[in-house]
Amino acid sequence: MDGVFLSTEKAKSVVDILNNVLDEYKVELIYNYRLEHLQKHFKVFKLISTENQLIIAYNVVLATGGVTYKETGSSGDGLNIAEALGHSITEIKPGGVLLTVREEWIPDLKGITLEDVGLSLRSGGKIIPLPRGNLLFTHFGVSGPVILDMSHENRGNYGQIW
Ligand SMILES: Cc1cc2nc3c(=O)[nH]c(=O)nc-3n(C[C@H](O)[C@H](O)[C@H](O)COP(=O)(O)OP(=O)(O)OC[C@H]3O[C@@H](n4cnc5c(N)ncnc54)[C@H](O)[C@@H]3O)c2cc1C
């Protein structure tokens, strides 16, 4: 699927919409609170931050992201916190990842998009066909929907473009 963009073409519009909803429901926001421990005591949850700030809550939504980009906060904390509460964690795989390639001629094609490209993955002697899509050459390798979609199929093997 091609990207879907906001009519304003500004990411801030999404933040504004979310803030409006929070205002409407009079939600209190607490900033700079790094959750370290989440414990269940009978019917309540006890949240303790890295600064030892305590919050008691009846319900908790854990929306701490994945393990993608530590600098943006998605450190994987939430997985450890959920596991400590007794949840099972499935295997973590990469997704939406661009590919770097060794071939030196690829950077010369940067900015060029190929439409409706087929990809296959060689894995354990088998060739696995993947859904078709657009492919974009970049200064370091290949990107575009077809590459981003295939990245979760990465099994440490070799991809092939056809
Ligand atoms: C470089 C890059 C480009 C991307 N581009 C796109 C794009 O163009 N379009 C698209 O749809 N998606 C894009 N994505 C993916 C998108 O950003 C994620 O899918 C999305 O942000 C996930 O949302 P989330 O709310 O689950 O987690 P996050 O956005 O990661 O939010 C999790 C929040 O939890 C906080 N947190 C984590 N641990 C704790 C803790 N212990 N205590 C308190 N807070 C904590 C984090 O600080 C963070 O603010 C991109 C991602 C990256 C890295």
Side-chain angles (χ1 to χ4, degrees):
M1 188 180 108
D2 286 332
V4 176
F5 296 94
L6 296 161
S7 58
T8 58
E9 297 201 354
K10 287 188 181 125
K12 187 178 172 299
S13 307
V14 177
V15 178
D16 290 343
I17 293 166
L18 295 173
N19 276 333
N20 288 344
V21 177
L22 293 174
D23 280 349
E24 193 183 330
Y25 288 93
K26 304 199 183 334
V27 175
E28 183 194 353
L29 294 178
I30 302 171
Y31 294 102
N32 298 317
Y33 185 98
R34 192 95 207 150
L35 180 67
E36 191 168 30
H37 300 292
L38 175 58
Q39 297 155 353
K40 185 143 195 221
H41 292 280
F42 303 101
K43 286 188 174 175
V44 295
F45 289 95
K46 204 170 138 186
L47 293 85
I48 304 161
S49 76
T50 47
E51 306 288 318
N52 264 330
Q53 273 177 278
L54 173 71
I55 295 175
I56 302 291
Y58 286 108
N59 298 293
V60 173
V61 176
L62 201 56
T64 46
V67 194
T68 47
Y69 202 156
K70 214 173 168 186
E71 288 76 5
T72 65
S74 58
S75 57
D77 278 8
L79 301 177
N80 298 331
I81 291 166
E83 196 165 32
L85 266 182
H87 291 284
S88 50
I89 307 297
T90 55
E91 185 195 350
I92 301 163
K93 292 181 181 177
V97 180
L98 321 175
L99 297 185
T100 50
V101 296
R102 275 192 290 253
E103 283 74 8
E104 288 174 2
W105 53 270
I106 295 273
D108 295 338
L109 302 179
K110 77 173 178 205
I112 294 176
T113 298
L114 299 180
E115 291 185 3
D116 195 29
V117 170
L119 286 182
S120 66
L121 202 64
R122 264 185 281 163
S123 175
K126 285 188 204 152
I127 293 190
I128 305 160
L130 300 170
R132 302 181 74 86
N134 291 0
L135 179 142
L136 170 71
F137 290 101
T138 70
H139 63 285
F140 54 81
V142 281
S143 180
V146 74
I147 298 294
L148 299 175
D149 286 348
M150 77 168 283
S151 56
H152 68 275
E153 297 277 357
N154 183 353
R155 298 158 201 188
N157 295 290
Y158 302 99
Q160 186 180 2
I161 300 166
W162 46 273

